Amino acid sequence: MRKLVLGLAAALISGPALAHTGHADASGFLHGLAHPIFGADHLLAMLAVGLWSGFVLPTRFWAGAAAFMGAMALGAGLSWGGVGYPVVETVIVASVVAFGVLTLVSRRGQATALTGASLAAIALFASAHGHAHATEAAGNALAYLAGFLISTAALHLAGIGIARAVATRPLVQQALGAGIAASGLLLMAG
């Protein structure tokens, strides 16, 4: 019990750990490749999009990843064009919760309108991820963009692969979605 109380106290006094602190190196292909994998918010969001795609769109599993990557590149372009994105970090962390919930509640064969709305939400949140990546990029920004697009695709494919491996187990889908959503809430709490 004492460890639990100490852990809760430490969590309450700690500050938020965001993926875009504005320090360290954010230049070139290798840094772009590494960032999505080592930022918990990006890792969880991108895996969740792959999971959602694999569970909901078995014949068009690429659609979630395409929406995410296209909107992420658009968000990067907005940043490089000097267009601001208010509360971008909040939107990014909220994306983890939203994508977790989508994974939790979505089903194969759901209504087309619901799938379209989910893809639109994926694109909206992805634009924040792209904007944040591009804002922190320095030096060879196009190589950085290429690196983070490749990592993003790999994380989506990992999520799709997991979804396909457990597609016949709805409780596993729900547990994965709930776990990602809960992780997003923890990231929000700092």
Side-chain angles (χ1 to χ4, degrees):
M1 182 64 163
R2 184 177 181 186
K3 289 180 182 180
L4 177 63
V5 170
L6 287 174
L8 288 172
L12 291 173
I13 62 171
S14 66
L18 301 174
H20 308 104
T21 58
H23 62 77
D25 217 352
S27 174
F29 179 76
L30 290 178
H31 290 109
L33 199 62
H35 185 90
I37 295 168
F38 294 111
D41 51 356
H42 296 296
L43 177 71
L44 291 167
M46 293 169 195
L47 277 173
V49 169
L51 288 167
W52 177 85
S53 296
F55 286 127
V56 176
L57 304 169
T59 60
R60 295 181 306 134
F61 60 87
W62 50 266
F68 191 100
M69 292 175 59
M72 191 168 73
L74 179 65
L78 290 172
S79 172
W80 291 331
V83 177
Y85 201 128
V87 297
V88 70
E89 290 295 340
T90 303
V91 174
I92 288 171
V93 176
S95 76
V96 177
V97 177
F99 296 159
V101 170
L102 282 177
T103 300
L104 173 67
V105 301
S106 296
R107 299 287 172 263
R108 186 170 291 179
Q110 68 185 19
T112 304
L114 185 56
T115 299
S118 298
L119 287 169
I122 287 169
L124 176 70
F125 285 118
S127 68
H129 285 266
H131 194 281
H133 279 295
T135 299
E136 69 190 5
N140 190 345
L142 287 179
Y144 185 76
L145 173 66
F148 76 69
L149 284 171
I150 290 170
S151 280
T152 296
L155 290 168
H156 289 319
L157 287 172
I160 291 165
I162 293 167
R164 287 185 165 210
V166 299
T168 60
R169 300 182 183 122
L171 289 178
V172 175
Q173 175 185 345
Q174 293 167 350
L176 289 167
I180 290 170
S183 296
L185 292 172
L186 287 173
L187 287 170
M188 282 181 177

